[in-house]
Structures are given as C-alpha cells and as structure tokens.
Amino acid sequence: MNDVARLAGVSVSTVSYALSGVRPISEATRDRVRWAVEQLDYQPNLMARGLAGQRTGFLALLLPTDESPADPFMIEIIVAAAEAARERDYHLLLWTEPAGESAGVKDLMRRGLIDGALLLSVRLREDRVSALRKANVPLTLIGRTQDPVDGQFVDSDAEQAAELAIAHLCELGHRSVAYIGPPRSAYEDGIGIVIRIHDSLVTSAEQHGLRLTSACAERNVAASTRTVTDLMAAEPDVTAVLALDDSAIAGVLNGLRSIHCSVPADVSVIGLLVSPQVAEMAWPKVTTVSHDPRDLGRLAALAMIDALDGASAGTIQVLLPSELARRSTTAPAPVGR
Amino acid sequence: MNDVARLAGVSVSTVSYALSGVRPISEATRDRVRWAVEQLDYQPNLMARGLAGQRTGFLALLLPTDESPADPFMIEIIVAAAEAARERDYHLLLWTEPAGESAGVKDLMRRGLIDGALLLSVRLREDRVSALRKANVPLTLIGRTQDPVDGQFVDSDAEQAAELAIAHLCELGHRSVAYIGPPRSAYEDGIGIVIRIHDSLVTSAEQHGLRLTSACAERNVAASTRTVTDLMAAEPDVTAVLALDDSAIAGVLNGLRSIHCSVPADVSVIGLLVSPQVAEMAWPKVTTVSHDPRDLGRLAALAMIDALDGASAGTIQVLLPSELARRSTTAPAPVGR
DNA sequence: TTGTAGGCGTTATCAT
DNA sequence: ATGATAACGCCTACAA
C-alpha cells in the first residue's frame, strides 16, 4: 500500500480511504489511486486489515459433528453460504463441534478471528445460542429456536410447507395419508424444523379433514423401506405418503415397489424439504414441496453480513416459503379403494 | 498479552517465547506465565500473529463448483480435513471456484490470507496445479495428476483397489463381470481416480482371465438403473457388477431388482470407493472395496501442515490402500449359467 | 535466561 | 479533500 501511495503521489491514508470509500475523495485522486493499484496489481493484506480495523472478514459456520453426516440438502446450504460470503468479501470457516457445544466458536471470537457465526441444525432449545450471545458473538441461525423473538434467523416455513402439501393431496382426492418422519431421536433432540413440520402436518390434516398417520424411520434405506411397508400393511386405506428429508426418499419408493404399490397410480409420494438434486435423482422423480436449499445458506450469510456492516434495518428474520414441484410421484387418489 | 506480561512480571517477549517455546525459558518464568495466562484466560489474537509471523494459520480447500454437488464421500473428506486442521491450530476455509480456475486462491495467498491450499477432484492434467505452483502457493492434492513426481498428494490406490475387487470376484468363481463407471464426461475431464480405476480394472481382469464389460452412467438413479439393465440384457453371462462412487449404488441395485436378478444369489455387486455411510444405507448392504474417506482429508491436511511447519522429511506422497468390506451383495457365482 | 525496540500493513484519529 | 501518525497485538532480531 506504501508502494501504491508513492506511485500515485498521495499518502497511504488517502489510498486507504480511496479504496474503502469511507470519506470523500476527489475524482482525480481516486483515479490516480485506482491506476496505481492496477499497475502494481495491489491486493490489501487481510491480516493487517483485520488487526487494525473492526472486521476480520471471517464467518464461522458451526456444523454439529455427532449427527448423521450432512446430506445433499445441507451441503448445498453450506456451499451457498460460502459463495454468498465471498461475494461480499467475507470468508467462511468450516467449524465442527459436538451438537451442544460452542466453546470453540467463542474462542474464535476472542482470538479476534471471526466477526460472527452461522448456526446449523438449530434445536428448539439451544444452549449454543444463549452461550454465544452471552459471549457477544453475532449470530444468525439457519433454523429457529422455540421462541426466536430477538435473534436473526433464516428458516423454512414449516407451516406453509405442510399446508401446501396437505392441500395438494386433498385436491387430488386423497383422504388418508401417511407421514414418514426422521428418527425419534430427532424429535427428542428438539430439532426445530422436524417438530414444526410434524405439528403443522397434524394441524393442516385436521383442518382438511384428512386422516394422518405418522411414523419414524432411521436415516437409511432398509429402515425407511421397512417402515413404509409396515405402515401400508397396518393402514391399507393410505393412498399417499409424505416423507421428510433426502434420507427417506429412496426407502419409501423402494418399499412401495416391494409390496407392488405402483407410484403414483396406487400411492402418491411427496418429499418435504428435499433437495432438487435428490428429487431428480430418484426414480420416478419425486414431487416435492420444498425450496432451494441454497437460499437458506445464502440468505443467512447475507443477513449476517448486513448486520455486521450495519446495512440492515434491524433484526433479519426470514421464513422461506416452499413451492410445489410436480414431478412424477403424485396423481389423483385411486377410485374404489 | 500486555496484561499477561504485567501480571507475570515479565516482558511481552518473554510471554511470547514462553508460549511459542522458540527459545529456552526457565521453568519458574514459564510457570508464572502459564499461571497468568490461566488467570486472564488469555487467547492470542490470530490476526496479529498472522501479520507479524510467517504463518496465518489458514488453509483453503478448493472445491470445484461446476461438478455434480458433493456426495457423502467428499463431504467426509472435507469435514475430516477441517477437523485435522483444527487439531493443529489451523483453520480451513471453504473456497469454491469453477473447475479449471484458481485465480481466487492465488489472490487469497497474495492477500496474505492463507498458508497453502488443498485441491479436490484432481484431474490428470491440471492447469490449477501449475498455476498455483507458479504463484508459490503450497499445495497438497487430494488425488493425483498424471505424473505427480514433485508435488504432495494423498490419493486412493486405484490399482490396489481394482486388483482387490477383481481378485475377490475371481475367487468367488465369477468369470464375466461388468463395470458401471461414472459419466463419460468424467473421463473426458480427465479426473484422475476415474481413469486410473478403469485402467486398473482392465489390467487386473486381463491378468485374472476375467471378461470385463464397461459402461458409463450419469449420476442419477434412472440412468444407472437403465445402464445396468441394458448391460445385463446385452451380456447375459455377467454374474457380477462393479460400481464406482456413491452415486451408482442405488441405481444398480434397483436395476437388478427390476429384472428379477437376485442380489447376491444371481449377481454379485461390489462398490468401489463408496463411503461406508452409503454402503450401509443401501439395501441390501453393499460389499465394498474402499477405505475411510476421512483418511483422505485428514492426511492431506496433516501433510500440508507438516510441510508448512517444516516438520516433514520432504515431499509427502501417500497412496491409501482399500480394504474389502464384505457385506451382503457378494456370493459365489451361480453354477450352471 | 531475559528485556528492548522495530516492524508487519492496515485503519482511525487528528490536524491542516 | 488530504496528510501525518498513532494504534492494532504479536514476532523476532539485537542487546544485555
């Protein structure tokens, strides 16, 4: 930067201001600085900037390790967050830590490394959130706590998604539907989206006068296969199956095939919050009620950055609506059953 | 650190040396410093350290964006790299960039942000490698270029894996086997592991007197399903199928089921370099010739760090051997076919 | 074995 | 609108 200043014939502070735009600089000077920067192919040193300024340009993405490894939906969230951060000249640090803990992130903050943190897999009751708040770590949640009045978050709108899915099945004439949810442990852990989706499905089904049967399945093909076959045996009236997550899709389709239920002629299937990638990869391609997972990561990163840069008008709280993507697994309910 | 020095009654440099251990410090002083650090719960500022010292403590993990999004095998590599880095007080930056490019990483280096970079999805002929070398970016590849004489890498031992798989099938009495590889584009792009696995399979099959038929399938269930059914129709003698990658597994099992081939009674299936997670999730559970994907990420990060810290005796080049994990998809070849 | 002081490359505070 | 200069917090010769 010294070199740039010398070449442009101005002082270092002028260069700094010309680049950051924090104080008015004359056109002429600015152009000379720009030219010198160009000439020397100058790139500011980020460590020095971090030391001297108030922002380091780093965000931590806190990824719980003891859960089932990330599925495609999550990957897309993460990568999108990294890309959004980059657009705004921030950098994303991948930080793994056991589900309940956050001491590591707190240390990152105290060591002057990060400006804030993004939290994944948010539970309804979060020790991490209060702990990090207390440590003055700016936070944006991907997901929500039970009562997220005061913090920033970006989350899927569970109620809207549930209502959309149930309404669609209702229109198609289905009267009895099943829901294959995640393992019981996800409920016990209090994962927000899991509980909200379930509750919302129950509510929507009631309002539409639909019969809803819920079941849990571990996140593997064998388990969801077995769960769906058991369920169809116990509830022969069921003509549609809702499944949450990337993980259940393969098993559900598999199970239905194995008991000679044709999809969608005999039974319709809807994937909730399933990544397009997985929906398109399955066979037949799965109709989903979902949104682009990338929006979750992208908006969370941008919300964090806006808050840090003081560009936002207050706390950002976003609920992403889902859309119905009709693919090949939904059809009118079979008649005469 | 000033506070620590004052509290311990020594100078800042003594504190610095006591913590880094770069020069001899008396037991007594060291203890006092340690105590003071403890008292104040002091954590060094990493930006200042990065500015003053020669290392920043950051590594970039370069992730090509325009390929199919990361599968579980890759995720585990990435997370393992992040965790290994952390153990050594380094931090992993997630850096996405289109497949051929590396200008962004070069800039990271020039901006004094990173100490080195980890490269994923390495092709046999790599523009990125030579470009980054020229820019003096320390590199460790996860994968190999065609002729990786001088650089650091950690890669799967393709020849050993191929030989192991072929030998196993041979022992089980199979005489004609099929290989469902990745899309043709992966070959055209020159992805190292893809080409090495294919070539090695051909070689091993020849040596064992096995007939090998190869096919390519796009990375989705429908494509691999169709590919395997077509292939079985064209080559009725085939009694075993090898599949590379997480992506092909579901389709292969699906396809065989759809043409009423029982696995493993009629046809055996082996997954090559498939993550344990996917192998266990499938149904039936897939026999694999693979290794822990985490080793790839972990060793790459450690190799990089050792090189940076000068702890390594020269260039690190690792080929990870695979192991046969017998699950439920391999059995002796059916007799009388 | 320990202390002193200069420098790393920015940003921020005073002046002008 | 611009310049000089002091932090920022640590590392590392150099001196003692």
Side-chain angles (χ1 to χ4, degrees):
Chain A
M1 179 148 142
N2 242 314
D3 304 334
V4 176
R6 195 165 17 238
L7 184 60
V10 295
S11 74
V12 281
S13 60
T14 303
V15 174
S16 174
Y17 288 121
L19 293 179
S20 66
V22 174
R23 86 179 184 192
I25 299 279
S26 76
E27 265 311 311
T29 323
R30 173 161 316 185
D31 283 347
R32 275 223 311 292
V33 170
R34 265 207 274 267
W35 171 82
V37 165
E38 210 55 42
Q39 285 297 307
L40 300 171
D41 193 16
Y42 160 80
Q43 306 247 195
N45 181 303
L46 295 184
M47 292 288 142
R49 174 176 290 177
L51 219 208
Q54 17 254 342
R55 53 153 273 195
T56 64
F58 288 99
L59 303 179
L61 177 64
L62 184 47
L63 185 67
T65 40
D66 38 11
E67 283 169 28
S68 44
D71 56 28
F73 199 89
M74 266 197 195
I75 310 309
E76 300 216 46
I77 294 174
I78 296 172
V79 170
E83 293 179 344
R86 175 134 81 106
E87 281 173 25
R88 304 281 293 264
D89 203 23
Y90 273 78
H91 304 293
L92 198 70
L93 230 59
L94 205 56
W95 193 254
T96 58
E97 207 160 8
E101 297 174 28
S102 59
V105 178
K106 206 181 87 185
D107 286 347
L108 285 182
M109 193 74 192
R110 299 196 42 233
R111 312 218 306 181
L113 230 233
I114 58 170
D115 295 326
L118 268 33
L119 259 62
L120 223 49
S121 287
V122 175
R123 291 158 160 66
L124 290 183
R125 303 184 49 208
E126 267 287 1
D127 296 335
R128 296 184 298 174
V129 172
S130 50
L132 290 175
R133 281 240 181 81
K134 206 173 302 171
N136 275 318
V137 182
L139 241 45
T140 297
L141 313 190
I142 301 176
R144 267 174 298 165
T145 53
Q146 186 139 34
D147 194 20
V149 278
D150 48 354
Q152 291 210 126
F153 67 79
V154 179
D155 198 1
S156 307
D157 188 340
E159 289 178 28
Q160 181 264 354
E163 171 60 23
L164 191 55
I166 295 286
H168 181 55
L169 291 178
C170 215
E171 273 170 30
L172 290 173
H174 298 271
R175 310 308 310 161
S176 175
V177 311
Y179 171 56
I180 310 287
R184 207 165 299 281
S185 64
Y187 290 92
E188 286 158 4
D189 289 346
I191 307 286
I193 189 67
V194 163
I195 294 176
R196 288 199 170 91
I197 282 282
H198 178 260
D199 293 351
S200 306
L201 283 174
V202 170
T203 306
S204 283
E206 256 173 31
Q207 288 172 353
H208 286 267
L210 241 84
R211 179 167 158 70
L212 178 76
T213 312
S214 299
C216 295
E218 293 296 321
R219 297 180 194 275
N220 65 66
V221 175
S224 41
T225 301
R226 192 162 35 70
T227 303
V228 78
T229 54
D230 288 358
L231 197 144
M232 294 304 292
E235 305 278 339
D237 290 344
V238 164
T239 58
V241 176
L242 293 158
L244 182 67
D245 253 18
D246 292 350
S247 61
I249 299 300
V252 167
L253 294 176
N254 230 11
L256 292 173
R257 202 173 299 131
S258 76
I259 54 176
H260 304 100
C261 276
S262 158
V263 174
D266 299 330
V267 173
S268 289
V269 173
I270 292 184
L272 293 171
L273 300 182
V274 163
S275 71
Q277 190 195 349
V278 168
E280 295 280 343
M281 264 187 56
W283 189 79
K285 294 180 180 175
V286 178
T287 294
T288 56
V289 168
S290 186
H291 56 77
D292 189 343
R294 294 180 52 86
D295 289 341
L296 232 31
R298 175 177 182 73
L299 291 176
L302 295 182
M304 175 91 271
I305 293 170
D306 280 344
L308 290 172
D309 293 354
S312 71
T315 304
I316 300 177
Q317 302 191 332
V318 181
L319 282 185
L320 289 177
S322 288
E323 288 180 1
L324 173 69
R326 294 176 204 239
R327 295 195 181 87
S328 314
T329 59
T330 40
V335 289
R337 256 186 83 170
Chain B
M1 181 147 143
N2 242 315
D3 304 334
V4 175
R6 195 163 21 234
L7 184 59
V10 295
S11 75
V12 282
S13 66
T14 304
V15 174
S16 175
Y17 286 123
L19 292 178
S20 68
V22 175
R23 85 180 184 192
I25 299 281
S26 75
E27 266 310 311
T29 319
R30 173 162 318 191
D31 283 346
R32 276 223 310 294
V33 170
R34 264 207 276 264
W35 171 82
V37 165
E38 208 61 38
Q39 284 298 307
L40 299 171
D41 192 16
Y42 162 80
Q43 307 247 192
N45 181 304
L46 295 184
M47 290 290 142
R49 176 177 289 178
L51 219 206
Q54 19 256 338
R55 51 155 273 195
T56 64
F58 289 98
L59 304 178
L61 177 63
L62 185 47
L63 185 67
T65 40
D66 38 11
E67 283 169 27
S68 44
D71 57 29
F73 199 89
M74 266 197 194
I75 309 308
E76 300 217 43
I77 295 175
I78 296 171
V79 170
E83 293 179 344
R86 175 135 80 106
E87 281 173 25
R88 306 281 292 266
D89 203 24
Y90 274 79
H91 303 292
L92 197 70
L93 229 61
L94 204 57
W95 193 254
T96 58
E97 208 160 8
E101 297 175 27
S102 59
V105 178
K106 207 181 87 185
D107 286 347
L108 284 182
M109 193 74 191
R110 300 195 44 235
R111 312 217 307 182
L113 207 312
I114 58 170
D115 296 325
L118 268 33
L119 259 61
L120 222 50
S121 287
V122 175
R123 291 158 160 65
L124 289 182
R125 303 184 50 208
E126 268 287 1
D127 296 334
R128 296 183 298 173
V129 172
S130 51
L132 290 175
R133 281 240 180 80
K134 206 173 302 170
N136 275 316
V137 181
L139 242 44
T140 297
L141 312 189
I142 301 176
R144 266 174 299 165
T145 53
Q146 186 140 34
D147 193 20
V149 279
D150 48 354
Q152 290 210 125
F153 67 80
V154 179
D155 199 1
S156 307
D157 188 339
E159 289 178 27
Q160 180 265 354
E163 171 61 23
L164 191 55
I166 295 286
H168 181 55
L169 291 178
C170 216
E171 273 171 29
L172 289 173
H174 297 272
R175 309 310 308 161
S176 176
V177 310
Y179 171 57
I180 310 287
R184 204 166 301 280
S185 64
Y187 291 91
E188 286 159 5
D189 289 345
I191 307 285
I193 190 67
V194 163
I195 293 175
R196 287 199 169 92
I197 282 280
H198 178 260
D199 293 350
S200 305
L201 283 174
V202 170
T203 307
S204 283
E206 256 173 32
Q207 287 172 355
H208 286 267
L210 241 80
R211 179 168 158 68
L212 178 76
T213 313
S214 300
C216 296
E218 294 296 321
R219 296 180 195 275
N220 65 67
V221 175
S224 41
T225 301
R226 191 162 37 70
T227 304
V228 78
T229 54
D230 289 357
L231 196 145
M232 294 303 292
E235 303 280 339
D237 290 344
V238 164
T239 59
V241 175
L242 293 158
L244 182 68
D245 252 18
D246 293 348
S247 62
I249 299 300
V252 167
L253 294 176
N254 230 12
L256 291 173
R257 202 173 300 131
S258 76
I259 55 175
H260 305 99
C261 276
S262 159
V263 174
D266 299 330
V267 174
S268 289
V269 173
I270 291 185
L272 293 171
L273 301 181
V274 163
S275 71
Q277 190 194 350
V278 168
E280 295 279 343
M281 264 187 56
W283 188 78
K285 293 180 179 175
V286 178
T287 294
T288 57
V289 168
S290 187
H291 57 76
D292 189 344
R294 294 180 51 85
D295 288 341
L296 232 30
R298 176 177 182 72
L299 291 176
L302 294 180
M304 176 90 270
I305 293 170
D306 280 345
L308 290 173
D309 293 354
S312 72
T315 303
I316 300 176
Q317 301 192 331
V318 181
L319 281 185
L320 289 177
S322 288
E323 288 180 2
L324 174 69
R326 294 176 205 239
R327 295 196 181 88
S328 314
T329 58
T330 40
V335 289
R337 258 186 79 168

